[in-house]
Amino acid sequence: MTVVSVRGDKGRKRVAGAVLATALLCTGAVACQGSDSSKKTKGAGSGETQSRSQVTEVITAAYKKTSAAKSAKVEMTMSAPASMGGESGEMKMSGVMGWDPTVMDVTMTGSALTAGDPDAPEKVRMLWRDNVMYMDMGEAAAKGMGMDGKRWMKMDLNAIAEQAGDKKLAKQMTGGLDSMNQDPAQQLALLLDSPNLKHVGSAKVDGVQTQRYKGRLTVKEMMESNKGLDDVLSKSERDELFKGIEKSGIKGYDTEVWVNEDDYPVRMDIDVKSPEGTMKTSQKFSDYGSAAKVTAPPAGETFDLMEMFKELGDLGKDGAGSGADSGF
């Protein structure tokens, strides 16, 4: 087997781990008729506080419009404290994403990409379709990782989970693609089940007049409301997942959404609080219904991350990589 230098192997391990961490962050993390906005008692132009029934009417209308649109342009910022695993930093993504089915064509930037690795690319384009992620690592990074001149890194979530021998993990990872973090319509549906959902007031987002709403779901409420979990997990698996989340110390999910006069959410913030700190996700949406057609890169231009993991595993078994962490 041809391998790169020891220094290269160390870099490949680091980058491979970073790619996997990025995928897990993105999965963290679903068609209805349009609404009749004339039925709303309080619209985005009103400065009065809305009643619970009025709030429910607005969020329901937003859910229907968003679900029917199936795609939008998005700007997303994600951050997590270092204590939650890895180094602290911020990840920004901008581009187009679709839901039902989930697809993405975004460009990622931010300190989370380069933290601890001066050779890491400062900007990465990511494509996502059919439960597979493709990341354009750039020529320099691809060469340093020994990707045979191929700049697109491929990561098949099903293949990774199956390689780990954990079918439940496979269902959780692929099911996560249709979860609340990737589908604003599903997040709105979950928000409707928040017992403390309320209208905060009017506000402008990038010059657009909106109404702001917020609500909180406990872990139990979120899992009971998220019907999408029924398709990927059995009751016993759901119970096990719930226990694991509870054990982690996560208490709940705080969500805020800003809805414009056309019943579309233009901004959505989700905070997940734990003893280690708060994971924050903020998304801005525009141009609902924008084409979100994603074409995978040609097979000849992609390098399968699973092959890298297999190679690095073989190196560890035969001792060839024993000095990988020595710095030489």
Side-chain angles (χ1 to χ4, degrees):
M1 178 184 294
T2 302
V3 299
V4 295
S5 66
V6 172
R7 180 186 297 273
D9 292 333
K10 182 178 179 181
R12 295 175 81 191
K13 289 180 179 179
R14 182 173 59 246
V15 175
V19 172
L20 181 57
T22 299
L24 294 176
L25 179 62
C26 290
T27 59
V30 191
C32 296
Q33 294 179 341
S35 67
D36 182 356
S37 60
S38 64
K39 293 182 180 180
K40 287 194 297 182
T41 306
K42 302 287 185 180
S46 172
E48 299 179 22
T49 301
Q50 300 172 5
S51 67
R52 176 60 195 239
S53 62
Q54 292 167 341
V55 170
T56 299
E57 197 170 2
V58 172
I59 300 301
T60 299
Y63 162 74
K64 291 181 177 180
K65 292 289 288 286
T66 304
S67 182
K70 295 188 177 182
S71 63
K73 290 183 178 179
V74 61
E75 293 182 11
M76 182 187 303
T77 301
M78 297 176 288
S79 64
S83 53
M84 294 184 74
E87 300 188 42
S88 62
E90 186 176 79
M91 177 85 72
K92 295 183 178 181
M93 300 196 310
S94 63
V96 178
M97 81 173 190
W99 45 94
D100 191 25
T102 300
V103 293
M104 299 180 75
D105 184 347
V106 297
T107 298
M108 303 185 296
T109 60
S111 59
L113 283 178
T114 57
D117 186 359
D119 298 324
E122 296 181 354
K123 180 171 66 174
V124 174
R125 183 184 177 193
M126 182 185 77
L127 306 178
W128 203 324
R129 59 165 292 159
D130 300 328
N131 295 337
V132 180
M133 173 190 285
Y134 302 90
M135 300 179 71
D136 184 352
M137 305 304 296
E139 291 184 7
K143 183 177 181 180
M145 293 172 64
M147 290 170 57
D148 302 326
K150 303 173 183 178
R151 57 186 295 159
W152 286 95
M153 174 76 76
K154 173 184 177 182
M155 189 173 72
D156 187 327
L157 299 184
N158 279 318
I160 290 176
E162 290 174 4
Q163 181 70 18
D166 190 339
K167 294 183 179 180
K168 182 174 65 176
L169 175 63
K171 289 194 292 184
Q172 289 178 357
M173 292 180 73
T174 56
L177 298 180
D178 292 320
S179 71
M180 59 183 180
N181 282 340
Q182 298 302 322
D183 185 342
Q186 175 69 6
Q187 181 58 40
L188 288 168
L190 292 176
L191 188 59
L192 281 169
D193 286 328
S194 172
N196 53 20
L197 174 62
K198 64 181 181 180
H199 175 231
V200 179
S202 60
K204 284 191 175 183
V205 177
D206 295 334
V208 176
Q209 186 65 46
T210 70
Q211 293 298 317
R212 182 181 176 186
Y213 306 87
K214 67 187 303 182
R216 190 173 197 272
L217 285 172
T218 65
V219 174
K220 184 177 182 180
E221 289 168 342
M222 184 278 292
M223 295 191 67
E224 289 177 346
S225 300
N226 191 352
K227 303 304 180 184
L229 290 176
D230 294 337
D231 298 329
V232 295
L233 297 177
S234 66
K235 183 180 184 305
S236 61
E237 290 170 340
R238 286 168 62 96
D239 292 341
E240 185 178 344
L241 177 61
F242 173 63
K243 291 179 181 178
I245 296 176
E246 270 200 324
K247 188 176 181 180
S248 72
I250 294 177
K251 301 299 183 182
Y253 304 81
D254 294 314
T255 300
E256 293 189 62
V257 60
W258 289 255
V259 180
N260 69 12
E261 295 178 341
D262 296 322
D263 296 333
Y264 286 115
V266 296
R267 177 179 170 181
M268 188 178 296
D269 291 0
I270 303 172
D271 288 355
V272 181
K273 296 180 180 178
S274 74
E276 290 78 21
T278 302
M279 177 178 291
K280 296 178 175 290
T281 302
S282 181
Q283 302 174 86
K284 289 185 178 181
F285 302 98
S286 62
D287 296 334
Y288 278 90
S290 300
K293 296 180 180 179
V294 176
T295 302
E301 298 178 13
T302 64
F303 185 91
D304 196 329
L305 184 64
M306 281 303 301
E307 296 303 316
M308 181 182 294
F309 280 138
K310 290 178 182 177
E311 183 177 325
L312 291 173
D314 290 340
L315 288 174
K317 292 177 182 179
D318 62 22
S322 60
D325 294 327
S326 65
F328 296 104

PDB file of all heavy atoms in Angstrom, residues 92-117:
ATOM      1  N   LYS A  92     -19.680  29.319   9.610  1.00  0.00           N
ATOM      2  CA  LYS A  92     -20.681  30.045   8.835  1.00  0.00           C
ATOM      3  C   LYS A  92     -20.924  29.310   7.524  1.00  0.00           C
ATOM      4  O   LYS A  92     -19.988  28.797   6.911  1.00  0.00           O
ATOM      5  CB  LYS A  92     -20.217  31.480   8.560  1.00  0.00           C
ATOM      6  CG  LYS A  92     -20.091  32.335   9.813  1.00  0.00           C
ATOM      7  CD  LYS A  92     -19.689  33.754   9.457  1.00  0.00           C
ATOM      8  CE  LYS A  92     -19.611  34.630  10.710  1.00  0.00           C
ATOM      9  NZ  LYS A  92     -19.240  36.033  10.388  1.00  0.00           N
ATOM     10  N   MET A  93     -22.180  29.272   7.118  1.00  0.00           N
ATOM     11  CA  MET A  93     -22.540  28.633   5.865  1.00  0.00           C
ATOM     12  C   MET A  93     -23.501  29.531   5.101  1.00  0.00           C
ATOM     13  O   MET A  93     -24.398  30.128   5.696  1.00  0.00           O
ATOM     14  CB  MET A  93     -23.203  27.276   6.097  1.00  0.00           C
ATOM     15  CG  MET A  93     -22.334  26.269   6.830  1.00  0.00           C
ATOM     16  SD  MET A  93     -22.940  24.549   6.676  1.00  0.00           S
ATOM     17  CE  MET A  93     -24.657  24.709   7.122  1.00  0.00           C
ATOM     18  N   SER A  94     -23.324  29.617   3.804  1.00  0.00           N
ATOM     19  CA  SER A  94     -24.243  30.388   2.970  1.00  0.00           C
ATOM     20  C   SER A  94     -24.427  29.671   1.642  1.00  0.00           C
ATOM     21  O   SER A  94     -23.495  29.064   1.112  1.00  0.00           O
ATOM     22  CB  SER A  94     -23.701  31.806   2.730  1.00  0.00           C
ATOM     23  OG  SER A  94     -22.476  31.770   2.026  1.00  0.00           O
ATOM     24  N   GLY A  95     -25.643  29.708   1.133  1.00  0.00           N
ATOM     25  CA  GLY A  95     -25.938  29.048  -0.125  1.00  0.00           C
ATOM     26  C   GLY A  95     -27.411  28.736  -0.237  1.00  0.00           C
ATOM     27  O   GLY A  95     -28.259  29.514   0.176  1.00  0.00           O
ATOM     28  N   VAL A  96     -27.722  27.577  -0.799  1.00  0.00           N
ATOM     29  CA  VAL A  96     -29.104  27.150  -0.993  1.00  0.00           C
ATOM     30  C   VAL A  96     -29.302  25.798  -0.328  1.00  0.00           C
ATOM     31  O   VAL A  96     -28.429  24.935  -0.376  1.00  0.00           O
ATOM     32  CB  VAL A  96     -29.434  27.028  -2.498  1.00  0.00           C
ATOM     33  CG1 VAL A  96     -30.867  26.536  -2.694  1.00  0.00           C
ATOM     34  CG2 VAL A  96     -29.250  28.365  -3.194  1.00  0.00           C
ATOM     35  N   MET A  97     -30.435  25.628   0.336  1.00  0.00           N
ATOM     36  CA  MET A  97     -30.748  24.312   0.883  1.00  0.00           C
ATOM     37  C   MET A  97     -32.205  23.984   0.621  1.00  0.00           C
ATOM     38  O   MET A  97     -33.061  24.870   0.472  1.00  0.00           O
ATOM     39  CB  MET A  97     -30.429  24.232   2.370  1.00  0.00           C
ATOM     40  CG  MET A  97     -31.448  24.819   3.313  1.00  0.00           C
ATOM     41  SD  MET A  97     -30.982  24.440   5.037  1.00  0.00           S
ATOM     42  CE  MET A  97     -32.476  24.959   5.873  1.00  0.00           C
ATOM     43  N   GLY A  98     -32.489  22.700   0.527  1.00  0.00           N
ATOM     44  CA  GLY A  98     -33.850  22.243   0.311  1.00  0.00           C
ATOM     45  C   GLY A  98     -34.217  21.198   1.343  1.00  0.00           C
ATOM     46  O   GLY A  98     -33.345  20.571   1.946  1.00  0.00           O
ATOM     47  N   TRP A  99     -35.496  21.022   1.554  1.00  0.00           N
ATOM     48  CA  TRP A  99     -35.990  20.005   2.475  1.00  0.00           C
ATOM     49  C   TRP A  99     -37.102  19.241   1.785  1.00  0.00           C
ATOM     50  O   TRP A  99     -37.815  19.774   0.941  1.00  0.00           O
ATOM     51  CB  TRP A  99     -36.476  20.640   3.778  1.00  0.00           C
ATOM     52  CG  TRP A  99     -37.335  21.867   3.608  1.00  0.00           C
ATOM     53  CD1 TRP A  99     -38.706  21.927   3.560  1.00  0.00           C
ATOM     54  CD2 TRP A  99     -36.889  23.219   3.423  1.00  0.00           C
ATOM     55  NE1 TRP A  99     -39.126  23.224   3.378  1.00  0.00           N
ATOM     56  CE2 TRP A  99     -38.029  24.043   3.294  1.00  0.00           C
ATOM     57  CE3 TRP A  99     -35.613  23.826   3.377  1.00  0.00           C
ATOM     58  CZ2 TRP A  99     -37.955  25.417   3.112  1.00  0.00           C
ATOM     59  CZ3 TRP A  99     -35.535  25.197   3.193  1.00  0.00           C
ATOM     60  CH2 TRP A  99     -36.688  25.985   3.064  1.00  0.00           C
ATOM     61  N   ASP A 100     -37.213  17.964   2.125  1.00  0.00           N
ATOM     62  CA  ASP A 100     -38.213  17.090   1.492  1.00  0.00           C
ATOM     63  C   ASP A 100     -37.999  16.984  -0.015  1.00  0.00           C
ATOM     64  O   ASP A 100     -38.877  17.363  -0.794  1.00  0.00           O
ATOM     65  CB  ASP A 100     -39.623  17.597   1.808  1.00  0.00           C
ATOM     66  CG  ASP A 100     -40.706  16.576   1.412  1.00  0.00           C
ATOM     67  OD1 ASP A 100     -40.375  15.380   1.362  1.00  0.00           O
ATOM     68  OD2 ASP A 100     -41.851  16.980   1.146  1.00  0.00           O
ATOM     69  N   PRO A 101     -36.822  16.396  -0.452  1.00  0.00           N
ATOM     70  CA  PRO A 101     -35.757  15.809   0.362  1.00  0.00           C
ATOM     71  C   PRO A 101     -34.702  16.849   0.752  1.00  0.00           C
ATOM     72  O   PRO A 101     -34.679  17.954   0.208  1.00  0.00           O
ATOM     73  CB  PRO A 101     -35.162  14.765  -0.583  1.00  0.00           C
ATOM     74  CG  PRO A 101     -35.288  15.419  -1.930  1.00  0.00           C
ATOM     75  CD  PRO A 101     -36.606  16.160  -1.897  1.00  0.00           C
ATOM     76  N   THR A 102     -33.816  16.456   1.665  1.00  0.00           N
ATOM     77  CA  THR A 102     -32.767  17.347   2.117  1.00  0.00           C
ATOM     78  C   THR A 102     -31.629  17.414   1.104  1.00  0.00           C
ATOM     79  O   THR A 102     -31.069  16.385   0.715  1.00  0.00           O
ATOM     80  CB  THR A 102     -32.192  16.875   3.468  1.00  0.00           C
ATOM     81  OG1 THR A 102     -33.242  16.863   4.432  1.00  0.00           O
ATOM     82  CG2 THR A 102     -31.081  17.796   3.942  1.00  0.00           C
ATOM     83  N   VAL A 103     -31.317  18.617   0.648  1.00  0.00           N
ATOM     84  CA  VAL A 103     -30.176  18.857  -0.230  1.00  0.00           C
ATOM     85  C   VAL A 103     -29.536  20.180   0.188  1.00  0.00           C
ATOM     86  O   VAL A 103     -30.209  21.047   0.749  1.00  0.00           O
ATOM     87  CB  VAL A 103     -30.574  18.930  -1.726  1.00  0.00           C
ATOM     88  CG1 VAL A 103     -31.064  17.583  -2.222  1.00  0.00           C
ATOM     89  CG2 VAL A 103     -31.627  19.999  -1.954  1.00  0.00           C
ATOM     90  N   MET A 104     -28.241  20.325  -0.065  1.00  0.00           N
ATOM     91  CA  MET A 104     -27.547  21.554   0.272  1.00  0.00           C
ATOM     92  C   MET A 104     -26.444  21.836  -0.734  1.00  0.00           C
ATOM     93  O   MET A 104     -25.801  20.920  -1.233  1.00  0.00           O
ATOM     94  CB  MET A 104     -26.930  21.481   1.684  1.00  0.00           C
ATOM     95  CG  MET A 104     -27.924  21.269   2.804  1.00  0.00           C
ATOM     96  SD  MET A 104     -27.137  21.186   4.444  1.00  0.00           S
ATOM     97  CE  MET A 104     -26.751  22.918   4.710  1.00  0.00           C
ATOM     98  N   ASP A 105     -26.243  23.100  -1.018  1.00  0.00           N
ATOM     99  CA  ASP A 105     -25.090  23.576  -1.786  1.00  0.00           C
ATOM    100  C   ASP A 105     -24.658  24.862  -1.109  1.00  0.00           C
ATOM    101  O   ASP A 105     -25.200  25.937  -1.375  1.00  0.00           O
ATOM    102  CB  ASP A 105     -25.460  23.825  -3.251  1.00  0.00           C
ATOM    103  CG  ASP A 105     -24.242  24.226  -4.101  1.00  0.00           C
ATOM    104  OD1 ASP A 105     -23.177  24.545  -3.512  1.00  0.00           O
ATOM    105  OD2 ASP A 105     -24.364  24.230  -5.338  1.00  0.00           O
ATOM    106  N   VAL A 106     -23.702  24.745  -0.199  1.00  0.00           N
ATOM    107  CA  VAL A 106     -23.302  25.883   0.631  1.00  0.00           C
ATOM    108  C   VAL A 106     -21.787  26.012   0.677  1.00  0.00           C
ATOM    109  O   VAL A 106     -21.053  25.057   0.398  1.00  0.00           O
ATOM    110  CB  VAL A 106     -23.833  25.735   2.079  1.00  0.00           C
ATOM    111  CG1 VAL A 106     -25.357  25.719   2.100  1.00  0.00           C
ATOM    112  CG2 VAL A 106     -23.280  24.473   2.747  1.00  0.00           C
ATOM    113  N   THR A 107     -21.348  27.206   1.040  1.00  0.00           N
ATOM    114  CA  THR A 107     -19.925  27.458   1.258  1.00  0.00           C
ATOM    115  C   THR A 107     -19.720  27.731   2.740  1.00  0.00           C
ATOM    116  O   THR A 107     -20.432  28.535   3.334  1.00  0.00           O
ATOM    117  CB  THR A 107     -19.448  28.668   0.438  1.00  0.00           C
ATOM    118  OG1 THR A 107     -19.620  28.372  -0.959  1.00  0.00           O
ATOM    119  CG2 THR A 107     -17.971  28.946   0.706  1.00  0.00           C
ATOM    120  N   MET A 108     -18.748  27.046   3.334  1.00  0.00           N
ATOM    121  CA  MET A 108     -18.479  27.164   4.760  1.00  0.00           C
ATOM    122  C   MET A 108     -17.192  27.945   5.001  1.00  0.00           C
ATOM    123  O   MET A 108     -16.192  27.741   4.320  1.00  0.00           O
ATOM    124  CB  MET A 108     -18.368  25.784   5.403  1.00  0.00           C
ATOM    125  CG  MET A 108     -19.597  24.914   5.212  1.00  0.00           C
ATOM    126  SD  MET A 108     -19.493  23.340   6.114  1.00  0.00           S
ATOM    127  CE  MET A 108     -18.088  22.571   5.293  1.00  0.00           C
ATOM    128  N   THR A 109     -17.240  28.820   5.993  1.00  0.00           N
ATOM    129  CA  THR A 109     -16.067  29.575   6.432  1.00  0.00           C
ATOM    130  C   THR A 109     -16.119  29.652   7.953  1.00  0.00           C
ATOM    131  O   THR A 109     -17.068  29.196   8.578  1.00  0.00           O
ATOM    132  CB  THR A 109     -16.070  31.004   5.853  1.00  0.00           C
ATOM    133  OG1 THR A 109     -17.261  31.692   6.293  1.00  0.00           O
ATOM    134  CG2 THR A 109     -16.016  31.006   4.336  1.00  0.00           C
ATOM    135  N   GLY A 110     -15.088  30.230   8.547  1.00  0.00           N
ATOM    136  CA  GLY A 110     -15.110  30.433   9.991  1.00  0.00           C
ATOM    137  C   GLY A 110     -13.947  29.795  10.706  1.00  0.00           C
ATOM    138  O   GLY A 110     -13.246  28.924  10.170  1.00  0.00           O
ATOM    139  N   SER A 111     -13.740  30.220  11.943  1.00  0.00           N
ATOM    140  CA  SER A 111     -12.598  29.762  12.729  1.00  0.00           C
ATOM    141  C   SER A 111     -12.662  28.276  13.043  1.00  0.00           C
ATOM    142  O   SER A 111     -11.629  27.643  13.281  1.00  0.00           O
ATOM    143  CB  SER A 111     -12.516  30.559  14.034  1.00  0.00           C
ATOM    144  OG  SER A 111     -13.709  30.413  14.794  1.00  0.00           O
ATOM    145  N   ALA A 112     -13.857  27.678  13.047  1.00  0.00           N
ATOM    146  CA  ALA A 112     -13.973  26.260  13.349  1.00  0.00           C
ATOM    147  C   ALA A 112     -13.293  25.406  12.279  1.00  0.00           C
ATOM    148  O   ALA A 112     -12.901  24.268  12.541  1.00  0.00           O
ATOM    149  CB  ALA A 112     -15.440  25.863  13.472  1.00  0.00           C
ATOM    150  N   LEU A 113     -13.148  25.932  11.069  1.00  0.00           N
ATOM    151  CA  LEU A 113     -12.491  25.186   9.995  1.00  0.00           C
ATOM    152  C   LEU A 113     -10.987  25.119  10.187  1.00  0.00           C
ATOM    153  O   LEU A 113     -10.355  24.109   9.887  1.00  0.00           O
ATOM    154  CB  LEU A 113     -12.799  25.823   8.638  1.00  0.00           C
ATOM    155  CG  LEU A 113     -14.168  25.584   8.006  1.00  0.00           C
ATOM    156  CD1 LEU A 113     -14.261  26.348   6.697  1.00  0.00           C
ATOM    157  CD2 LEU A 113     -14.404  24.102   7.769  1.00  0.00           C
ATOM    158  N   THR A 114     -10.411  26.197  10.673  1.00  0.00           N
ATOM    159  CA  THR A 114      -8.953  26.306  10.734  1.00  0.00           C
ATOM    160  C   THR A 114      -8.378  26.181  12.137  1.00  0.00           C
ATOM    161  O   THR A 114      -7.159  26.188  12.301  1.00  0.00           O
ATOM    162  CB  THR A 114      -8.517  27.661  10.150  1.00  0.00           C
ATOM    163  OG1 THR A 114      -9.168  28.720  10.870  1.00  0.00           O
ATOM    164  CG2 THR A 114      -8.902  27.767   8.684  1.00  0.00           C
ATOM    165  N   ALA A 115      -9.223  26.067  13.164  1.00  0.00           N
ATOM    166  CA  ALA A 115      -8.731  26.016  14.545  1.00  0.00           C
ATOM    167  C   ALA A 115      -7.753  24.869  14.735  1.00  0.00           C
ATOM    168  O   ALA A 115      -8.061  23.712  14.457  1.00  0.00           O
ATOM    169  CB  ALA A 115      -9.915  25.856  15.505  1.00  0.00           C
ATOM    170  N   GLY A 116      -6.557  25.203  15.180  1.00  0.00           N
ATOM    171  CA  GLY A 116      -5.545  24.190  15.460  1.00  0.00           C
ATOM    172  C   GLY A 116      -4.850  23.633  14.245  1.00  0.00           C
ATOM    173  O   GLY A 116      -4.014  22.731  14.371  1.00  0.00           O
ATOM    174  N   ASP A 117      -5.155  24.120  13.064  1.00  0.00           N
ATOM    175  CA  ASP A 117      -4.539  23.596  11.845  1.00  0.00           C
ATOM    176  C   ASP A 117      -4.314  24.722  10.843  1.00  0.00           C
ATOM    177  O   ASP A 117      -5.214  25.070  10.084  1.00  0.00           O
ATOM    178  CB  ASP A 117      -5.416  22.514  11.229  1.00  0.00           C
ATOM    179  CG  ASP A 117      -4.742  21.824  10.043  1.00  0.00           C
ATOM    180  OD1 ASP A 117      -3.609  22.213   9.703  1.00  0.00           O
ATOM    181  OD2 ASP A 117      -5.339  20.895   9.484  1.00  0.00           O
TER     182      ASP A 117
END
